[in-house]
Structure formats: structure tokens, C-alpha cells
């Protein structure tokens, strides 16, 4: 495992965005429920608590994956693997240390990476005002405005969440 068990879906994709969307749905319902006779007074979105909930849900699920792997007797090695032969891999850890391992079977979970469009100004501003799904999950506050480029599921869910949270998307 290069980073965290569960990969993109559990850590920076499907699950975190679903947690944010659920918070947005509850917020929207609370703000707009007077028509049904439900008056809740002043409704606000506690960004820190929304983020804490997102992290808690992801950590619970990744912990479950770790538990299942442990119960199955699987050994999890952190690093990047490459095949040396059909039954041997070389794993390079974060510090550059290489370890060779032999096994009858390997699980190949390649993960995913973002497609960064070749637009002027994008590459040189990555991490500042150009964000991927990874960075947008870590924002400390809700932006006043943002543009989502791309029509993937995560991008669309982030657009829906931030629009509901008050951003002009």
C-alpha cells in the first residue's frame, strides 16, 4: 500500500464526498423545512465538525479494511511495488529503502491519479488556488467562489456540496 488502505474511494473520493453531501443535505433540509411546519431557528454549518465527521467516517472504514486484512493473515507493506518476476516484487518505501518479497499471489491495487488538464496557469498553481479532490477536502474554510473543471463523480459531488454550503460554484 503506497499511502492509506482503502485507496482513493475510502480516503479522498467516494466516501469523504458522500459524508460531505450528507452534511449538506441535512443542512439544506434544516434551512428549508418551514414549509412542512418544521422550524429550527438559526441554522449554520459548522465546518470544523463537518470535516471531523468526514475524517471519522473514512478512518472507521479504512480501519475495517485493516482489520479484515489482518484476520485474513495478509501482510500490508507500505511503499511502491514493482515486479521483478512472476513471483517476486521489489517494494520501495517512503525513505527509498528497497525490499524484495516472494509470494505465490499478489494483489495489485494501482490506485488512481488525477487528470490535470493542460490549461495555461494550471500546472504552476497546483496546490495554491488550483486544487485536486485531495486538497479541496482539506480546505480550512468554505470558499466564496470556486470552479470545478471536469465531470467526474467526485468533481460533481464536490460542486454540489460546496454550492449547498454557500460557495458560488
Amino acid at each position: 500500500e503506497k499511502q492509506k488502505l482503502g485507496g482513493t474511494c475510502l480516503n479522498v473520493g467516494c466516501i469523504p464526498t458522500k459524508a460531505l453531501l450528507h452534511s449538506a443535505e441535512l443542512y439544506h433540509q434544516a434551512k428549508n423545512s418551514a414549509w412542512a411546519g418544521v422550524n429550527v431557528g438559526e441554522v449554520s454549518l459548522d465546518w470544523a465538525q463537518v470535516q471531523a465527521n468526514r475524517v471519522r467516517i473514512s478512518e472507521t472504514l479504512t480501519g475495517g479494511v485493516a482489520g479484515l486484512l489482518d484476520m485474513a493473515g495478509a501482510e500490508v507493506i507500505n511503499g511502491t511495488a514493482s515486479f521483478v518476476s512472476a513471483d517476486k516484487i521489489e517494494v520501495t518505501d517512503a525513505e527509498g529503502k528497497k525490499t524484495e518479497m516472494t509470494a505465490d499471489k499478489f494483489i495489485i491495487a494501482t490506485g488512481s491519479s488525477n487528470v490535470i488538464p493542460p490549461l495555461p496557469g494550471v500546472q504552476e498553481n497546483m496546490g495554491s488556488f488550483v486544487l485536486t479532490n485531495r486538497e479541496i477536502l482539506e480546505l480550512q474554510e468554505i470558499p466564496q467562489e470556486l470552479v470545478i473543471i471536469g465531470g467526474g463523480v467526485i468533481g460533481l459531488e464536490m460542486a454540489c456540496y460546496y454550492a449547498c454550503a454557500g460557495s458560488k460554484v
Side-chain angles (χ1 to χ4, degrees):
E1 178 63 52
K2 186 174 183 177
Q3 294 171 334
K4 295 179 179 179
L5 288 174
T8 297
C9 186
L10 265 55
N11 292 287
V12 293
C14 315
I15 299 304
T17 58
K18 297 296 186 288
L20 293 178
L21 285 172
H22 184 66
S23 292
E25 179 184 16
L26 293 171
Y27 175 62
H28 179 77
Q29 287 177 348
K31 278 179 51 178
N32 298 291
S33 60
W35 66 269
V38 178
N39 297 302
V40 294
E42 185 71 26
V43 177
S44 64
L45 196 60
D46 181 340
W47 181 246
Q49 185 58 39
V50 168
Q51 289 288 60
N53 183 56
R54 171 189 62 81
V55 169
R56 179 187 57 76
I57 290 169
S58 286
E59 286 177 350
T60 299
L61 293 174
T62 57
V65 170
L68 290 171
L69 287 168
D70 187 52
M71 286 181 0
E75 181 181 0
V76 177
I77 307 294
N78 288 73
T80 302
S82 57
F83 278 92
V84 175
S85 65
D87 64 347
K88 187 183 290 186
I89 59 171
E90 180 179 79
V91 180
T92 306
D93 67 16
E95 289 78 41
K97 180 182 171 216
K98 297 177 187 270
T99 305
E100 282 194 357
M101 303 186 72
T102 303
D104 293 334
K105 294 183 170 78
F106 293 97
I107 296 173
I108 302 172
T110 61
S112 65
S113 59
N114 298 309
V115 175
I116 308 300
L119 299 171
V122 169
Q123 288 295 333
E124 54 271 21
N125 291 297
M126 289 302 300
S128 58
F129 67 86
V130 177
L131 310 172
T132 68
N133 61 303
R134 288 164 169 75
E135 293 92 14
I136 201 167
L137 286 171
E138 301 294 328
L139 290 177
Q140 298 301 307
E141 59 187 38
I142 299 168
Q144 289 183 332
E145 298 178 331
L146 73 145
V147 174
I148 305 287
I149 299 174
V153 173
I154 294 170
L156 292 173
E157 289 178 335
M158 297 309 300
C160 291
Y161 170 75
Y162 280 101
C164 187
S167 297
K168 180 180 176 189
V169 178

